[in-house]
């Protein structure tokens, strides 16, 4: 009986979220404009993946946006990527000898190390820096919240269209566009699914789904999570580093 109650509660929550998403989309198009039509050229501003050229997001930014709720790593190229956080991580990897494993770098860069001599590897203020990037791209805004004795900076969502496109992209990957083979999936989208799950924000993308869709989406995500990274990394045309990271996060 308790299982049925929890199930019904989940269904109501997801349908409520769906209604809120639809209402938010209507507000973004402008109140009172029933015959809304996209402006000429709008379609040209969005590429095949649905990302605006002006608001192309990094993987870490997408994981953060969804949450608004042993191999050695050798740096093959130290050329700047244009992403400050990634460039900072690559510099640490390049300057470190002997090379560390993927698991070690995840622990070092996140600050989850017991070695005080290696604390300088930690990337500082990651969430705040990612939020500021999203503010610059017009996805979030900055506000001050007063909490009696102190003020706190917050970053509310200001462009819901971008988040809804991201949610739709994740949903389609495990529903309408499911290919049942991780090696045929877009590598960036596959990485996003794994990282979002490890960050406990993946289910946010499935909240608007109806019950049957939700069950199917979670079943297919479980299929991905149950893969053996070691075996997958040995297949043809695979990305070994991606599977090494997956192994570090899922073991």
């Amino acid at each position: 009986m308790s299982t049925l109650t929890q199930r019904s509660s989940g269904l109501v929550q997801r349908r409520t979220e769906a209604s809120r998403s639809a209402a938010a989309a209507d507000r973004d198009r402008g109140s009172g404009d029933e015959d809304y039509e996209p402006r000429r050229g709008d379609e040209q501003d969005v590429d095949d993946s649905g990302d605006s050229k002006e608001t192309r997001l990094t993987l870490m930014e997408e994981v953060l946006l969804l949450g608004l709720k042993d191999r050695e790593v050798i740096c093959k190229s130290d050329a700047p990527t244009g992403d400050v956080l990634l460039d900072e991580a690559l510099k640490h990897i390049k300057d470190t000898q002997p090379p560390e494993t993927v698991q070690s770098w995840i622990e070092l860069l996140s600050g989850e190390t017991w070695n005080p001599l290696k604390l300088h590897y930690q990337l500082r203020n990651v969430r705040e820096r990612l939020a500021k990037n999203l503010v610059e791209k017009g996805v979030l805004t900055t506000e001050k919240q007063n909490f009696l004795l102190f003020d706190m900076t917050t970053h509310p969502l200001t462009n819901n269209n971008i988040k809804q496109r991201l949610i739709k992209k994740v949903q389609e990957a495990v529903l309408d566009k499911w290919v049942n083979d991780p090696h045929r999936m877009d590598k960036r989208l596959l990485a996003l699914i794994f990282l979002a799950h490890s960050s406990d924000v993946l289910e946010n993308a499935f909240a608007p789904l109806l019950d049957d869709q939700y069950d199917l989406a979670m079943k297919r995500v479980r299929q991905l999570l149950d893969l053996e990274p070691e075996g997958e990394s040995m297949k043809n045309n695979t990305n070994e580093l991606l599977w090494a990271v997956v192994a570090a996060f899922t073991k």
Side-chain angles (χ1 to χ4, degrees):
M1 186 65 178
S2 62
T3 303
L4 178 59
T5 302
Q6 293 173 355
R7 191 75 183 134
S8 300
S9 175
L11 174 59
V12 172
Q13 181 181 3
R14 287 193 293 279
R15 286 177 175 169
T16 301
E17 182 66 27
S19 299
R20 290 175 178 170
S21 299
D26 290 340
R27 288 197 300 271
D28 289 337
R29 287 196 292 264
S31 60
D33 189 1
E34 298 179 355
D35 297 324
Y36 171 80
E37 294 182 358
R39 292 174 301 174
R40 183 176 300 175
D42 280 357
E43 295 86 355
Q44 298 175 354
D45 290 338
V46 180
D47 59 20
D48 292 338
S49 65
D51 292 332
S52 168
K53 296 177 181 178
E54 291 78 11
T55 53
R56 188 79 47 86
L57 307 183
T58 67
L59 267 176
M60 294 177 67
E61 290 168 358
E62 289 181 338
V63 172
L64 176 64
L65 189 56
L66 282 176
L68 288 179
K69 181 188 164 179
D70 288 326
R71 288 172 172 79
E72 293 180 343
V73 179
I74 301 175
C75 187
K76 294 184 177 181
S77 173
D78 59 352
T81 65
D83 183 280
V84 176
L85 283 168
L86 182 56
D87 288 342
E88 185 177 334
L90 289 176
K91 185 178 186 304
H92 284 314
I93 294 173
K94 174 179 178 292
D95 294 343
T96 300
Q97 293 296 332
E100 298 279 358
T101 63
V102 170
Q103 178 68 47
S104 294
W105 275 119
I106 291 174
E107 294 173 355
L108 292 172
L109 295 174
S110 65
E112 296 179 1
T113 177
W114 293 100
N115 189 340
L117 299 179
K118 293 187 176 183
L119 288 176
H120 66 283
Y121 287 120
Q122 181 181 359
L123 299 179
R124 308 288 180 177
N125 304 317
V126 172
R127 183 182 178 88
E128 180 64 21
R129 291 161 72 181
L130 288 172
K132 287 183 177 179
N133 288 346
L134 291 173
V135 170
E136 293 177 358
K137 295 178 179 181
V139 182
L140 306 181
T141 187
T142 301
E143 292 182 359
K144 291 286 187 180
Q145 293 281 343
N146 184 271
F147 292 92
L148 296 180
L149 299 178
F150 59 92
D151 290 335
M152 177 179 289
T153 300
T154 61
H155 299 287
L157 183 67
T158 187
N159 190 331
N160 191 56
N161 286 337
I162 293 177
K163 182 174 182 179
Q164 292 307 313
R165 284 203 299 267
L166 174 60
I167 289 175
K168 181 181 179 182
K169 180 169 65 175
V170 174
Q171 291 174 350
E172 288 181 340
V174 293
L175 291 175
D176 298 340
K177 297 183 179 180
W178 174 248
V179 295
N180 201 29
D181 181 357
H183 300 281
R184 292 171 55 202
M185 292 180 66
D186 177 79
K187 298 296 187 294
R188 192 177 188 281
L189 186 53
L190 180 63
L192 173 61
I193 290 173
F194 278 117
L195 289 175
H197 176 268
S198 298
S199 303
D200 293 325
V201 299
L202 180 59
E203 195 164 345
N204 292 358
F206 301 147
L209 296 174
L210 298 179
D211 225 27
D212 291 344
Q213 293 175 313
Y214 177 87
D215 288 341
L216 181 58
M218 293 304 296
K219 176 183 177 181
R220 288 172 173 172
V221 168
R222 176 49 55 187
Q223 286 181 235
L224 294 176
L225 296 175
D226 287 343
L227 293 170
E228 175 52 52
E230 184 69 25
E232 298 300 325
S233 68
M234 300 176 66
K235 295 182 178 180
N236 293 331
N237 301 319
T238 192
N239 186 317
E240 292 188 22
L241 182 57
L242 185 153
W243 290 107
V245 173
V246 171
F249 274 115
T250 58
K251 75 174 185 178

